[in-house]
Amino acid sequence: MMWSIGQCLLTASVFLSAIADASVLTPPVLPLVVRNPYLSTWLANAREAPWTNWPIFWTGQEIGMSIMASIPHSHTVYPLLGRPQDSLSSKSDSYNISYPTYKGAQFDASTTNLSYQISAPSSKHKPIDLTISFLSPITPTSTLRQGLPASYINIIVEGDYDIDIYMDVNGLWVTGDSDASITWSKTNIIFEDAPKLQTWRIQRKEELSFTEVEDRAEWGRLLFSGPTDASHECGASHTLRTEFAKTGTLRNKTDKQFRTVMDDEPVFAFHQSLKLGNGTSRNHDSVLFTLTHIQDDVVQFASARGLTNMRPLWKSYFASDDALVAYHYQDFTNSTALAKKYTDQLDIDAIESDSRDYADILALSARQVLGAVQFSGTADAPLIFQKEISSNGNTQTVDVIFPAFPFYLYTQPKWAAYLLEPLLEHQLSGQYPNKYSMHDLGAHFPNLTGHADGKDEYMPVEECGDMLIMGLALVNGLLYGNGKQEGKQQPEFVLDMEQRPMLREKDNLFALDLSTSVDGIRGVDDDGHSYAPGLKLAKRYLEPYFRLYKQWTEYLIEFSLEPHNQLCTDDFAGWLALQTNLALKGIIGIKAMSELSRVMGNDDEVVYYKNISDTYAAKWQTLGMSRDGSHAKLAYDWYGSWTTLYSLYPSALLCFQHPALPIHTPTPSNPSNNTFTPFLPPQLYATQSAHYSNIMQTYGLPLDSRHRYTKSDWAFSAAAVASPDVRSKIYKATAKWLNETEIVDAPFPDLFETEVGGWPEGGGLYFRARPVVGGHFAGVVLGRSCGGRE
């Protein structure tokens, strides 16, 4: 089905009512245009005025995007974003450069708003209020929209006199090589029942498929779109910006001389006049621009059918680039509304869980998680491919998906299934030779070519435990639903389970069905096929993968209780034998297999895996705890050491610490649904919580006794199962770090020093923009697990 085009743009006044509530944190870096690993632009030094620095790619490298304003007849130009003033003369007779009053930034999960006030040109007028609103909408109920590689820039003004707006971008949106030659063109996009658009198309002259330079894609094209009544021009940056400063407009000309990115830097610009009146009353007006990064193939993947070029998901719905751009542009109202529902619910849940600070941390983390992934596959079989941003660029890294998993479980669990599917499909096809789970699907994104030699990074216990825990978390979602139990508030953006149709036998469990309309909005997922909870549905999902889970469990039985010298997810800290956290994760993985066996109706295996995991858990407590029992050691034989015991969290998430809904038929291992014994002693959680209070530092909870740095994802996992007081201390310390750190060119690092707030001592560990910040959602997702009984 190709999607039809229709509906009007949101008016400025309506949009203003949807702007995020005031955020209280002042992070050093804010997301602007963040949709995937290659459409990822951020505001660095965000505590300063936005015209003092250029926006950055997630790597910290500058990227060309500038915005200016001009008041007609005043001959005064106001830089708003980027450094366009560098192209202007400070001693011109034709114009003056002035700067607005910057009123600061606000953000929510989908939106970043930069607010300004521009001085009135005369005493009979009042200042203009101007907002640049960057919207990369998170739409859990619409996978179609979430998969669009496109973002909105809405410039909204309120005042009583007219104003001109200018925006340009350069060629660094399509290459990381400033010496690469680029080509461009301008076209009009016209569809029935849709706004008429004009679009700049920019791409490399010679595309290099599945190739990166400085982590940027060397294939694909940028489409920069605006309304047809805007004036346009492309040419040398200094020429266009000077023209606008002098005249307040552009000349509708196109430079025909293709060249390299920084050779007389070509930029691609639009100008729009916003009409606010003649001074009698204050009015609103706005102009909407979009940025879309198009790739015909997003990755190559060693699938069951062999190495395959994978198309983006949106190609299942749109026949052309133009159709995608037109749909996205005219869908602004709907995307805003769907994103706001998610943001509002997240705000409610986070504040109920702890505080305004926690809500802001989650809002800041959300776009970062999705900025690491590409939506691919087809409507019948969607897939998500993830890049291990910044740490090494691996593809579909299991122990990077694992810490991000709470975000997906909270936001849209079927997206978690889309993430795991490539790993499961590849290993079921026999292309990976080892008995344990693979670490990743390829050494560097976007090439998911596998490891046929079995020589991927060596984390066998880690990856087996991760896969089993994530597998059961998804199965539990199918068993118990979404937490609408015992007075738990169902998320507003999730449709009622009881109102959904039953799954048909021929349907793919997580196939996309866009036949549903909600509040008049089309293109919304019909999750009746995916989430009508029950044992039958859970078994159907699990059955194809069960032999893999069993294979990995057998490995854990042999090697998890006393792990030999190997890496764990904290591989930056080095190899270590007998790791306490790692052993516990493996043991919980075995326990997970007992529950997976229960779903399959294998009663003997339920008992078998339960007995082993119970025995191992009892031995682990003797081996892993300090002599005085006050805390867990980093390693069994490392006396005097301690660790953040983040592996306690999965036991709670998977319903091992509290009873879930009584939906199972009694088995020998579960003789009565009224009998429940926690897998790990509750006192263990209380003991660790007290220990965290003793070792807390200014900016967070240190990872372990070897270093002073924290891993915020693991700290938040520990917080989720700590006492309310300790939980708040961990959240507040991270909030303090966001407000005070001097790391001003890296999107939300997950690894930083807890005493001075900088990068880890010794250099070399610069973790920026990583999706593992999805682990910050550990607290809000816990309240929905086990049918809402956690």
Side-chain angles (χ1 to χ4, degrees):
M1 175 180 70
M2 294 303 168
W3 200 254
S4 61
I5 308 295
Q7 299 181 325
C8 299
L9 287 176
L10 184 66
T11 64
S13 59
V14 174
F15 182 80
L16 281 169
S17 69
I19 285 179
D21 292 335
S23 42
V24 297
L25 297 187
T26 56
V29 179
L30 288 170
L32 298 179
V33 178
V34 179
R35 293 300 279 176
N36 60 50
Y38 304 128
L39 191 59
S40 184
T41 299
W42 304 72
L43 179 66
N45 295 276
R47 302 185 195 115
E48 301 178 6
W51 59 81
T52 58
N53 296 278
W54 287 105
I56 60 170
F57 190 59
W58 66 257
T59 57
Q61 296 167 308
E62 293 177 352
I63 192 167
M65 176 169 61
S66 73
I67 300 176
M68 296 186 287
S70 176
I71 306 303
H73 313 301
S74 72
H75 304 293
T76 301
V77 64
Y78 297 86
L80 302 174
L81 179 68
R83 293 190 57 87
Q85 64 269 27
D86 292 348
S87 300
L88 305 176
S89 171
S90 59
K91 298 180 180 179
S92 172
D93 295 330
S94 303
Y95 57 86
N96 299 308
I97 303 172
S98 188
Y99 296 93
T101 300
Y102 182 52
K103 298 170 68 176
Q106 295 180 354
F107 62 90
D108 63 24
S110 295
T111 308
T112 298
N113 292 331
L114 311 179
S115 298
Y116 310 78
Q117 194 170 77
I118 295 178
S119 300
S122 68
S123 59
K124 70 176 184 177
H125 297 291
K126 294 183 178 179
I128 283 181
D129 292 318
L130 184 149
T131 298
I132 307 175
S133 187
F134 294 88
L135 174 66
S136 296
I138 297 178
T139 57
T141 52
S142 180
T143 302
L144 163 68
R145 290 176 172 86
Q146 193 62 57
L148 301 182
S151 191
Y152 300 102
I153 302 96
N154 195 29
I155 302 174
I156 309 154
V157 295
E158 180 184 5
D160 58 5
Y161 52 94
D162 297 345
I163 187 171
D164 292 301
I165 300 296
Y166 168 97
M167 179 176 173
D168 71 38
V169 297
N170 74 359
L172 288 175
W173 290 78
V174 296
T175 178
D177 181 2
S178 60
D179 293 325
S181 295
I182 58 173
T183 64
W184 56 81
S185 63
K186 193 197 77 70
T187 59
N188 292 328
I189 297 178
I190 301 174
F191 281 86
E192 186 178 354
D193 297 329
K196 295 180 180 179
L197 304 175
Q198 52 182 332
T199 295
W200 289 111
R201 301 168 187 268
I202 309 109
Q203 66 185 67
R204 277 187 60 125
K205 182 178 180 180
E206 296 181 3
E207 295 184 75
L208 306 175
S209 295
F210 307 125
T211 300
E212 293 182 346
V213 172
E214 302 294 340
D215 282 291
R216 300 189 208 181
E218 299 303 304
W219 81 106
R221 49 204 174 274
L222 181 75
L223 277 62
F224 174 30
S225 304
T228 54
D229 60 348
S231 63
H232 67 270
E233 189 169 353
C234 82
S237 57
H238 59 88
T239 301
L240 269 63
R241 294 166 187 163
T242 300
E243 179 68 21
F244 177 76
K246 288 180 177 179
T247 67
T249 189
L250 294 173
R251 298 172 293 183
N252 296 325
K253 295 173 60 177
T254 301
D255 186 336
K256 301 294 186 181
Q257 187 64 46
F258 298 150
R259 52 191 182 272
T260 64
V261 171
M262 299 308 293
D263 179 9
D264 206 12
E265 182 192 16
V267 298
F268 312 92
F270 289 121
H271 149 261
Q272 179 78 319
S273 294
L274 300 180
K275 306 299 184 182
L276 299 176
N278 55 12
T280 58
S281 62
R282 289 181 71 80
N283 298 295
H284 295 99
D285 202 358
S286 65
V287 58
L288 180 67
F289 300 113
T290 63
L291 288 165
T292 307
H293 190 261
I294 299 287
Q295 292 174 312
D296 295 320
D297 297 306
V298 291
V299 301
Q300 55 177 341
F301 166 44
S303 68
R305 62 184 181 273
L307 192 61
T308 306
N309 291 355
M310 300 297 297
R311 303 195 316 165
L313 180 62
W314 64 263
K315 281 186 175 285
S316 295
Y317 302 99
F318 302 101
S320 66
D321 298 0
D322 286 358
L324 164 61
V325 170
Y327 172 82
H328 176 256
Y329 193 95
Q330 61 83 39
D331 191 58
F332 180 55
T333 304
N334 292 336
S335 290
T336 300
L338 293 174
K340 188 175 187 300
K341 284 187 176 182
Y342 174 70
T343 288
D344 289 349
Q345 188 64 52
L346 177 60
D347 217 46
I348 291 169
D349 291 345
I351 291 173
E352 181 180 314
S353 175
D354 186 78
S355 63
R356 176 77 258 168
D357 280 347
Y358 184 44
D360 281 357
I361 290 168
L362 297 191
L364 188 64
S365 303
R367 277 173 282 175
Q368 183 164 316
V369 179
L370 291 168
V373 302
Q374 293 274 22
F375 282 73
S376 184
T378 65
D380 289 334
L383 299 172
I384 294 178
F385 297 108
Q386 178 180 275
K387 178 175 180 175
E388 185 177 337
I389 297 284
S390 85
S391 39
N392 66 7
N394 283 175
T395 65
Q396 226 70 7
T397 311
V398 172
D399 62 288
V400 173
I401 293 174
F402 182 77
F405 220 63
F407 167 83
Y408 290 102
L409 292 176
Y410 174 85
T411 302
Q412 179 49 276
K414 70 182 177 188
W415 294 352
Y418 299 165
L419 264 173
L420 293 185
E421 180 59 29
L423 287 157
L424 294 166
E425 177 184 335
H426 179 85
Q427 290 176 91
L428 280 171
S429 71
Q431 298 181 65
Y432 185 66
N434 296 321
K435 294 298 183 182
Y436 50 81
S437 170
M438 67 193 316
H439 170 268
D440 61 79
L441 264 172
H444 203 90
F445 195 89
N447 299 298
L448 289 80
T449 51
H451 297 279
D453 60 1
K455 295 181 179 179
D456 48 332
E457 192 168 0
Y458 188 63
M459 296 186 190
V461 172
E462 175 73 43
E463 314 307 11
C464 290
D466 289 349
M467 291 299 291
L468 282 155
I469 290 166
M470 291 188 288
L472 181 57
L474 283 176
V475 166
N476 279 349
L478 294 171
L479 283 171
Y480 306 124
N482 64 0
K484 190 181 180 183
Q485 305 291 341
E486 298 185 354
K488 290 285 184 178
Q489 176 64 44
Q490 176 172 253
E492 194 178 318
F493 54 83
V494 176
L495 298 177
D496 196 329
M497 300 291 182
E498 288 73 19
Q499 297 176 359
R500 296 170 174 167
M502 291 303 294
L503 179 72
R504 298 171 304 218
E505 290 299 326
K506 64 184 179 64
D507 290 332
N508 182 319
L509 195 59
F510 293 114
L512 292 176
D513 181 346
L514 304 187
S515 61
T516 300
S517 176
V518 177
D519 296 331
I521 299 176
R522 297 182 62 198
V524 175
D525 300 359
D526 179 357
D527 280 341
H529 291 178
S530 304
Y531 292 112
L535 189 59
K536 181 178 179 181
L537 198 70
K539 183 176 180 180
R540 179 171 169 180
Y541 170 71
L542 175 59
E543 196 164 19
Y545 314 123
F546 189 72
R547 70 172 178 87
L548 270 182
Y549 289 129
K550 189 172 182 178
Q551 172 183 311
W552 297 333
T553 305
E554 292 302 320
Y555 184 88
L556 291 176
I557 290 172
E558 186 173 358
F559 295 108
S560 68
L561 179 58
E562 297 185 11
H564 58 258
N565 192 30
Q566 62 191 277
L567 295 170
C568 73
T569 184
D570 306 319
D571 53 355
F572 49 86
W575 292 64
L576 186 64
L578 303 176
Q579 295 181 62
T580 306
N581 248 318
L582 185 61
L584 181 58
K585 181 177 287 185
I587 294 165
I588 292 172
I590 299 169
K591 169 67 173 174
M593 188 62 199
S594 175
E595 295 303 312
L596 293 173
S597 298
R598 189 189 308 279
V599 172
M600 296 300 294
N602 300 344
D603 291 349
D604 290 345
E605 291 184 352
V606 172
V607 176
Y608 173 68
Y609 293 121
K610 179 183 184 300
N611 288 344
I612 292 174
S613 60
D614 286 346
T615 301
Y616 281 14
K619 291 181 178 179
W620 176 91
Q621 292 172 57
T622 300
L623 293 167
M625 298 300 291
S626 63
R627 287 190 174 117
D628 63 1
S630 65
H631 62 272
K633 295 176 288 187
L634 174 62
Y636 295 166
D637 58 352
W638 197 332
Y639 297 97
S641 67
W642 48 261
T643 185
T644 296
L645 197 60
Y646 50 79
S647 290
L648 286 176
Y649 176 74
S651 190
L653 178 69
L654 298 179
C655 320
F656 298 165
Q657 299 304 119
H658 298 279
L661 291 176
I663 68 166
H664 297 303
T665 301
T667 67
S669 63
N670 184 28
S672 169
N673 286 314
N674 297 320
T675 301
F676 181 85
T677 302
F679 178 57
L680 299 173
Q683 183 58 35
L684 178 59
Y685 288 81
T687 296
Q688 280 300 119
S689 182
H691 178 64
Y692 298 151
S693 186
N694 293 332
I695 61 174
M696 276 288 296
Q697 302 297 309
T698 303
Y699 294 119
L701 179 66
L703 179 62
D704 58 50
S705 52
R706 290 173 292 184
H707 305 281
R708 294 180 298 181
Y709 53 60
T710 185
K711 277 290 270 96
S712 63
D713 50 343
W714 298 138
F716 277 50
S717 292
V721 292
S723 68
D725 178 61
V726 171
R727 182 186 313 138
S728 290
K729 286 181 180 179
I730 293 172
Y731 294 164
K732 286 178 181 178
T734 305
K736 180 179 176 65
W737 179 83
L738 283 167
N739 284 334
E740 297 179 2
T741 182
E742 296 181 3
I743 301 174
V744 297
D745 62 350
F748 208 155
D750 56 283
L751 183 69
F752 51 86
E753 286 286 340
T754 58
E755 291 184 11
V756 297
W759 293 113
E761 292 180 353
L765 295 176
Y766 304 108
F767 289 180
R768 61 179 77 222
R770 298 201 325 146
V772 301
V773 295
H776 297 159
F777 285 71
V780 288
V781 80
L782 200 59
R784 293 192 190 162
S785 61
C786 313
R789 294 193 172 194
E790 279 297 328

